[in-house]
């Protein structure tokens, strides 16, 4: 028996990109369980509370929903802090008119979910409405672009084009999304064309986030994120949480 060793690249990563039926069922259930978490977060967004108190409530709700743990450190970024895409949560006290980015997820049977909603402490400014509407429109354009055969870079472009049209192209400084699975950030990367990331044609069974944002230093920011599954004809949005800037 003669064995020959051949160098390979990214074999495990490639196998993980397409989820099997069992994995899809788990990811769908994980996404579904984020709804009550989001609703309890919305209730906490009031003038006078701190980012950290909202984050603590989210983390408790993640466990109440049956998740093993958060998928990553919960983000509650209020007012000017919302302009920092990688901010986590601090001692800032929420004020009237703040825009607040809530970004969290839970791990269920080893699989990660990831959701962002941006809500306001009433009354939101006209600028808050404008930026929120633009990001939501960009997100929907990207969701509508998802179907087998379309490249990851085309999905990114769909979002970017909308933000460009709203004069917010420069404010969108990160990729549109990332694969979800055993890791919260895995393949495929949904980005603009980059030298280090080859565009990937979408295939049924891929699960990734769609999370455009617009960040205006000193003012704040808006990000909206859902998890999608590529299906034979388009996509299924796995997360289902209202988008309103002022939740009911
Ligand atoms: N905060 C992690 C993510 O949305 O990718
Ligand atoms: Mn997220
Ligand atoms: Mn994400």
């Amino acid at each position: 028996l003669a064995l020959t060793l051949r160098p390979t690249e990214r074999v495990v990563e490639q196998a993980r990109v397409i989820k099997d039926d069992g994995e899809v069922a788990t990811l769908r259930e994980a996404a579904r369980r984020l709804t009550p978490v989001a609703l309890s977060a919305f209730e906490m967004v009031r003038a006078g509370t701190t980012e950290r108190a909202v984050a603590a409530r989210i983390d408790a709700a993640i466990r109440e929903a049956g998740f093993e743990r958060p998928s990553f450190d919960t983000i509650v970024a209020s007012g000017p802090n919302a302009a920092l895409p990688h901010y986590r949560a601090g001692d800032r006290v929420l004020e009237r008119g703040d825009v607040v980015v809530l970004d969290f997820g839970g791990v269920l049977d080893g699989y990660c979910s990831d959701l962002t909603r941006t809500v306001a402490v009433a009354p939101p400014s006209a600028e808050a409405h404008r930026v929120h509407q633009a990001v939501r429109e960009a997100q929907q354009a990207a969701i509508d672009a998802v179907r087998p055969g379309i490249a990851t870079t085309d999905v990114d472009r769909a979002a970017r084009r909308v933000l460009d049209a709203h004069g917010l192209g420069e404010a969108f400084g990160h990729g549109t999304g990332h694969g979800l699975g055993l890791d919260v950030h895995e393949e495929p990367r949904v980005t603009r064309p980059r030298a280090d990331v080859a565009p990937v044609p979408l295939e049924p069974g891929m699960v990734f986030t769609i999370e455009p944002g617009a960040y205006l230093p000193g003012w704040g920011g808006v990000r909206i994120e859902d998890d999608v599954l590529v299906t034979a004809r388009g996509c299924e949005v796995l997360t289902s949480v209202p988008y309103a800037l002022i939740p009911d």
Side-chain angles (χ1 to χ4, degrees), residues 72 75 103-105 114-116 178 184-185 209 211 223 225:
F72 52 89
I75 295 173
D103 184 357
F104 52 86
D114 188 5
L115 177 99
T116 306
H178 54 85
V184 69
H185 295 126
T209 68
E211 52 176 308
R223 181 168 60 258
E225 174 176 35

Side-chain angles (χ1 to χ4, degrees), residues 1-242:
L1 180 66
L3 288 180
T4 311
L5 294 180
R6 279 189 302 120
T8 61
E9 268 185 63
R10 302 172 12 88
V11 172
V12 173
E13 288 80 356
Q14 287 304 328
R16 281 174 55 165
V17 171
I18 310 295
K19 271 63 185 183
D20 68 26
D21 291 350
E23 292 176 296
V24 166
T26 304
L27 286 160
R28 187 183 282 119
E29 177 62 17
R32 198 185 68 79
R33 290 188 191 202
L34 290 180
T35 301
V37 180
L39 298 181
S40 40
F42 294 164
E43 279 185 19
M44 285 286 290
V45 173
R46 299 276 181 268
T49 191
T50 64
E51 293 171 344
R52 229 186 275 287
V54 178
R57 181 70 196 98
I58 290 172
D59 290 347
I62 284 171
R63 285 170 209 284
E64 287 160 18
F67 290 108
E68 292 140 36
R69 61 180 185 277
S71 305
F72 52 89
D73 288 338
T74 294
I75 295 173
V76 178
S78 67
N81 294 337
L84 312 168
H86 301 293
Y87 183 84
R88 304 219 294 235
D91 292 321
R92 189 176 177 282
V93 176
L94 275 52
E95 298 171 9
R96 278 168 55 85
D98 274 356
V99 167
V100 187
V101 172
L102 306 165
D103 184 357
F104 52 86
V107 181
L108 184 70
D109 293 339
Y111 285 82
C112 297
S113 55
D114 188 5
L115 177 99
T116 306
R117 286 293 182 269
T118 300
V119 298
V121 182
S125 64
E127 180 72 345
H129 279 293
R130 183 184 84 84
V131 179
H132 188 270
Q133 181 57 37
V135 172
R136 173 68 189 115
E137 206 180 297
Q139 196 217 15
Q140 191 60 49
I143 290 170
D144 291 344
V146 174
R147 61 177 178 277
I150 290 289
T152 45
T153 44
D154 295 330
V155 176
D156 182 87
R157 186 178 308 112
R160 217 163 284 283
R161 182 183 288 152
V162 172
L163 288 167
D164 281 340
H166 284 276
L168 291 168
E170 296 281 311
F172 179 24
H174 57 70
T176 291
H178 54 85
L180 283 174
L182 294 169
D183 283 322
V184 69
H185 295 126
E186 57 179 59
E187 310 219 352
R189 307 288 166 168
V190 182
T191 65
R192 59 181 131 191
R194 274 168 44 171
D196 58 328
V197 185
V200 176
L202 300 185
E203 291 180 54
M206 289 179 174
V207 174
F208 51 86
T209 68
I210 300 203
E211 52 176 308
Y215 308 92
L216 302 170
W219 178 78
V222 171
R223 181 168 60 258
I224 303 176
E225 174 176 35
D226 285 290
D227 304 344
V228 305
L229 164 70
V230 183
T231 61
R233 303 174 62 107
C235 80
E236 176 185 337
V237 182
L238 302 180
T239 35
S240 64
V241 173

